[in-house]
Amino acid sequence: MKILIIGSGGREHSLVWAFLQNPKCKEIHCIPGNAGIEKIAICKDLNILNNREIVSYCKSNKIDFVIVGPEAPLANGLIDILIQNKILCFGPTKEAALLESSKSFTKSICDKRNIPTANYVIANSKKEALGFIEKFKPPFVIKLDGLAAGKGVFISKNKSEAIKSINDIYEIRNNHNTILIEEFLKGIEASLFIISNGNKYKSLGSAQDYKKIYKKDLGPNTGGMGAFSPSLNISPEMEKDILKRIVSPTLKEMDERGTPFCGILYIGLMITDEGPKLIEYNVRLGDPECQVIAIRLGAQLLDAFIYCAMNEFNKIKINYANDFGVTVVMASGGYPNKYKTGFKIKGIKDLSDKKDVEIFHSGTKNSKNSIVTSGGRVLSVTARSTKLKKARKKAYEIVRKLKWKKEYHRSDIAKKL
Ligand code: AMP
Ligand code: GLY
């Protein structure tokens, strides 16, 4: 098969790497890719939100199968257009992607099917939002309704912080008029991934991610600074409970609405004293969570995606070895706020042949025969081993050998659990 992956992150690099291990993959393309992906796939720099250009690329290159990595093209209806053009693809339609692109939509599904999640109210104006703050108790969880690249949640310890967040939201982001104010959930976070063709589903495994920029979970949220898989907080019984009380009713409701969910559902959970509760859905694999799943599942991922897209769901087999994956994100100093790019990455060329460790690229590009930084998150060093501790050690050994000006990473990924 000639396969096309849409995206440019560590997630997409790890998917390309995993697919290349599968004999079904005869040729692999990526739009737009990055300096790491360019080494192993045919990359084309097109706008991933230009559906027409992507369809014409598929036709002129005789692409057999398309996988969409990030949320924005899914919310932009790329899958719908590929289906209209009879191009085999994997991912949810625009309507099904509302599970990520609209938090109020997801809450409406939870209300309808009694799915455990945080209590909430919806405010449609600044005045309404400020009114809710007067009525409720801190901490306040304030969320933008639409896509916000992991930066749409503001947690305020007191009233004055909450008022500031609301003022900022309505002044800076005047395209986001709807916000949600939620009950603060106490507990431990974990993520579960499932694959579904709309009515059947299968677990793809779990992961624990690190959202905050600084160690000990301090500082602002990022897209993710590291992860490991499987999560140690989801027992097999708890997974069954999550599938029964959260996943299954969601998929049923989507199917009954005539907008079945096909693709990967990422279930962001808070494990509370009252049991697991849904924090949010994403309609794709996470970045960097994908990297720790891909390093463990390898070639199996492509089979799962193909069988799901071809409606041969019963053929999907997910066999995990009894192992762990750890990924450490190396970022540009300053991320998730302002940062500089264009710095030469040193040490990367000497590290290509390490066993069970992969360096997946995100914000990198080629410049004058060197690889330079070009984004906030730059590399995700990903390792696997039969022991979590060993996987962690392997990943950090490589992290220490990679250097650029103002490089930053967390030193506590998968530490002291
Ligand atoms: P989300 O984008 O909805 O996943 O939220 C980003 C992060 O904010 C989550 O991973 C949690 O750490 C935190 N968060 C979101 N909603 C809540 C909540 N209701 N209670 C506590 N923390 C939350
Ligand atoms: N790492 C979180 C996400 O991909 O949404």
Side-chain angles (χ1 to χ4, degrees):
M1 269 182 159
K2 283 192 177 185
I3 294 171
L4 168 64
I5 297 185
I6 307 293
S8 61
R11 167 181 48 211
E12 288 74 26
H13 191 178
S14 71
L15 289 176
V16 172
W17 171 85
F19 292 179
L20 282 168
Q21 297 165 34
N22 189 315
K24 289 194 180 81
C25 177
K26 294 281 178 267
E27 189 173 298
I28 192 148
H29 297 236
C30 189
I31 295 176
N34 58 40
I37 299 176
E38 250 172 56
K39 282 199 184 147
I40 52 175
I42 301 161
C43 290
K44 177 77 179 170
D45 192 11
L46 296 179
N47 176 0
I48 60 171
L49 297 181
N50 189 331
N51 292 341
R52 223 169 23 119
E53 259 185 14
I54 293 177
V55 167
S56 85
Y57 183 87
C58 291
K59 288 187 173 163
S60 51
N61 289 282
K62 298 197 168 52
I63 298 293
D64 300 302
F65 187 39
V66 183
I67 292 104
V68 183
E71 60 277 21
L74 294 168
N76 192 40
L78 177 56
I79 293 292
D80 308 59
I81 288 169
L82 291 167
I83 293 171
Q84 278 162 26
N85 282 275
K86 300 193 168 45
I87 298 167
L88 187 71
C89 54
F90 180 68
T93 59
K94 184 174 181 164
E95 290 290 314
L98 279 172
L99 284 173
E100 175 166 1
S101 61
S102 168
K103 292 192 190 283
S104 56
F105 174 84
T106 296
K107 288 291 193 190
S108 74
I109 303 267
C110 292
D111 289 345
K112 179 88 190 292
R113 295 277 173 165
N114 234 338
I115 294 169
T117 184
N119 293 321
Y120 72 103
V121 287
I122 292 179
N124 288 306
S125 67
K126 180 167 150 181
K127 194 170 160 218
E128 225 180 326
L130 293 173
F132 286 132
I133 297 302
E134 289 304 323
K135 274 198 236 156
F136 299 151
K137 288 201 187 92
F140 300 97
V141 181
I142 299 167
K143 297 188 174 183
L144 303 177
D145 192 27
L147 292 182
K151 294 164 199 119
V153 177
F154 308 88
I155 298 181
S156 315
K157 287 189 278 316
N158 54 46
K159 214 162 145 183
S160 62
E161 259 185 37
I163 293 171
K164 187 180 177 308
S165 293
I166 290 171
N167 281 329
D168 286 353
I169 289 169
Y170 282 98
E171 261 145 49
I172 302 163
R173 303 172 180 257
N174 38 20
N175 54 337
H176 283 276
N177 285 324
T178 302
I179 63 172
L180 281 79
I181 302 174
E182 264 188 23
E183 165 199 14
F184 181 82
L185 296 176
K186 255 200 205 149
I188 305 166
E189 282 189 61
S191 310
L192 184 69
F193 300 87
I194 61 113
I195 181 165
S196 176
N197 67 349
N199 46 64
K200 292 183 184 155
Y201 65 88
K202 226 179 175 58
S203 171
L204 262 196
S206 62
Q208 200 75 36
D209 74 333
Y210 291 76
K211 286 206 174 69
K212 303 277 195 239
I213 184 75
Y214 302 124
K215 68 177 177 188
K216 298 190 178 155
D217 285 337
L218 297 173
N221 268 345
T222 67
M225 294 304 293
F228 66 87
S229 169
S231 160
L232 304 176
N233 298 317
I234 303 182
S235 63
E237 299 75 50
M238 189 185 286
E239 182 171 316
K240 271 191 205 145
D241 183 48
I242 294 164
L243 296 177
K244 187 169 150 221
R245 295 199 302 137
I246 299 180
V247 176
S248 183
T250 300
L251 294 175
K252 273 208 183 102
E253 179 63 22
M254 292 301 284
D255 199 26
E256 280 178 22
R257 287 180 184 212
T259 53
F261 181 88
C262 307
I264 303 283
L265 191 62
Y266 168 143
I267 305 127
L269 297 154
M270 188 71 85
I271 317 293
T272 71
D273 290 345
E274 296 164 16
K277 294 193 179 183
L278 177 70
I279 299 180
E280 65 155 357
Y281 281 132
N282 293 318
V283 296
R284 50 172 175 84
L285 280 158
D287 187 336
E289 294 88 336
C290 178
Q291 288 86 311
V292 284
I293 288 183
I295 201 154
R296 299 179 63 213
L297 285 180
Q300 296 179 60
L301 271 178
L302 180 61
D303 286 326
F305 295 175
I306 292 174
Y307 292 138
C308 189
M310 294 189 17
N311 240 332
E312 296 180 32
F313 201 81
N314 293 341
K315 287 194 184 163
I316 298 178
K317 292 207 170 51
I318 305 292
N319 290 317
Y320 273 108
N322 206 356
D323 63 356
F324 289 89
V326 171
T327 189
V328 179
V329 170
M330 301 180 73
S332 299
Y335 171 81
N337 300 313
K338 269 194 193 155
Y339 55 83
K340 287 194 175 141
T341 58
F343 298 125
K344 185 175 168 183
I345 302 174
K346 293 179 195 148
I348 200 158
K349 286 191 179 142
D350 319 322
L351 294 171
S352 48
D353 281 331
K354 292 268 175 201
K355 194 172 175 303
D356 287 338
V357 193
E358 295 298 325
I359 302 168
F360 297 124
H361 291 225
S362 302
T364 64
K365 66 175 189 185
N366 286 305
S367 172
K368 297 180 199 137
N369 266 333
S370 305
I371 296 176
V372 301
T373 63
S374 67
R377 292 188 292 170
V378 178
L379 301 173
S380 41
V381 180
T382 310
R384 70 184 284 201
S385 177
T386 48
K387 295 263 179 333
L388 185 60
K389 239 182 169 175
K390 275 194 190 157
R392 171 185 151 72
K393 191 166 166 249
K394 271 189 198 173
Y396 276 105
E397 265 168 22
I398 301 297
V399 166
R400 278 193 290 276
K401 291 182 177 154
L402 295 163
K403 296 199 169 32
W404 64 87
K405 204 170 160 190
K406 295 197 161 65
E407 181 276 329
Y408 173 79
H409 61 267
R410 273 180 67 156
S411 55
D412 62 344
I413 305 300
K415 194 178 179 186
K416 280 197 192 142
L417 299 157

